[in-house]
Amino acid sequence: MSEPDARASVEAVFREERGLLLAALVRRFGDLDLAEEVTSEAIEAALVHWPVHGVPPSPGAWLMTTARRKAVDRLRRDQAYAARLAVMQVEAERAAPAPPPAPDGGLPDERLQLFFTCAHPALAAEDRTALTLRCLAGFTTPEVARAFLVPTATMAKRIVRAKHRIREARIPFRVPGPDELPARLPGVLQVVYSIYTEGYAAARYDLAAEAVRLARILRRLLPDERETAGLLALVLLTHARRDARVGADGGLLLLDEQDRSRWDRALIEEGRGLAEAALTGGPPGPYGVQAAIAALHDEAPDVASTDWPQIVALYDVLLALTPSPVVALNRAAAVAMRDGPAEGLALLDGLAGEPRLRGYHPYAAARADLLRRLGRLPEAAAAYREALGLCETDAERALIRRLLGAVEASG
């Protein structure tokens, strides 16, 4: 096997197995830094070994065995480090012994086990999510930074801080007990949804499908928590459009360009039922509200006949639940559909001072679209160029180039 082929095989296996590999190593050795280091060393070993001997029949198992051996070698070489880990694990077990796994009520996926572990209340909420996305969900630091709309350097410091806090506070890497799961649930929901949005935005549908699978597990695990229904409904109602989102040339299509007959009606029906469950029995949560918005989009035969007044009303609720410039941006786009592009543009211009939107390409793209609809084509082209410079993925850049080209041709 050639080196490029071997590298491609390693990268493919790494994308699929990294989360499981890290989760198993952290549970075995109780140290996140050690798990990350030996995982990287196992990948380097595969790049040397596989071009010569071929890809093994079970590449994930090969990586796991190699990483475990390297971890054991590391601990043998550094007896002081091994002793510290042993003391921390004993203290953790004495302070809060992990419950035995229940046959029908435990966490069936090692990645989810670690997601809940990293959602420890001793960590700041954003630090928990950032650490989980970076270390256990396989996101790069720039991808995590994009999810939080902060500079990469800021996010790198946040991740390091979270690791130091885990070490200093001796936070145990153990599966939390059933009574601890509800309090840690919001952080885990955010992680799973961030995995989904990253995969969907970049047309990495394997990653999006993995988030759907994790959301289903969460729903089975905590059926009485309405926000697990809301999250699953939201990802299903969005995932139902995936096949229509890509055109014949492989490029992304906007919502009003999609052939809605290609939307997955079974997923839509399942998502609608879950959305109703999420909104029944008490005050709505943010995922339930977002699912209701997605359901209104999926029920409409076209963009023009979408219930925009109801969508704006739901965004008002969401903005009260989770005030953020991104929610305000989405609400402004809905207002533009209800009241006209001038009204929407005024709202967007009112958000111009939001620091978190300055490097966020959907904000510039939304302004460009409204300027185009108002016939202000030179300004629209300038806004599309700004959006193009902020795009993070090839799929996004190709879409913005197409929209920019259409405006330039019209002008």
Side-chain angles (χ1 to χ4, degrees), residues 144-324:
V144 181
R146 184 165 67 249
F148 282 87
L149 303 182
V150 299
T152 299
T154 300
M155 183 51 62
K157 292 178 182 177
R158 184 176 294 173
I159 292 169
V160 169
R161 183 176 67 223
K163 288 182 179 181
H164 285 169
R165 176 62 179 160
I166 287 174
R167 191 176 299 112
E168 292 167 2
R170 296 192 174 184
I171 294 172
F173 280 100
R174 65 172 183 82
V175 181
D179 58 329
E180 298 173 277
L181 296 183
R184 300 193 187 188
L185 180 62
V188 176
L189 293 175
Q190 184 177 354
V191 170
V192 174
Y193 187 52
S194 295
I195 294 171
Y196 183 81
T197 54
E198 177 66 26
Y200 193 79
R204 292 167 57 188
Y205 295 126
D206 56 336
L207 186 61
E210 173 63 10
V212 171
R213 189 185 72 83
L214 294 174
R216 287 192 185 279
I217 292 174
L218 284 171
R219 176 61 179 160
R220 291 197 302 270
L221 177 70
L222 297 168
D224 296 330
E225 295 287 339
R226 290 185 299 126
E227 279 289 77
T228 63
L231 175 67
L232 181 54
L234 177 57
V235 297
L236 291 178
L237 290 163
T238 306
H239 209 56
R241 310 174 201 146
R242 68 193 181 281
D243 291 340
R245 190 167 172 257
V246 178
D249 62 353
L252 295 180
L253 298 176
L254 299 174
L255 195 62
D256 61 353
E257 299 174 318
Q258 294 177 18
D259 177 1
R260 299 188 177 210
S261 68
R262 299 183 63 200
W263 289 2
D264 189 323
R265 305 314 303 182
L267 288 185
I268 290 172
E269 288 306 310
E270 183 183 0
R272 288 177 62 188
L274 286 162
E276 291 177 5
L279 297 175
T280 303
Y287 292 106
V289 174
Q290 291 177 83
I293 293 170
L296 288 172
H297 283 297
D298 287 5
E299 292 165 3
D302 52 49
V303 169
S305 56
T306 301
D307 190 348
W308 294 109
Q310 181 66 14
I311 287 178
V312 172
L314 286 168
Y315 272 123
D316 289 338
V317 175
L318 185 59
L319 200 56
L321 289 172
T322 55
S324 84

Side-chain angles (χ1 to χ4, degrees), residues 19-29 64 68 110 114:
L20 287 171
L21 187 61
L22 269 175
L25 291 168
V26 171
R27 281 175 57 78
R28 170 66 179 82
F29 298 103
M64 181 69 75
R68 282 176 175 165
E110 283 191 314
L114 267 293

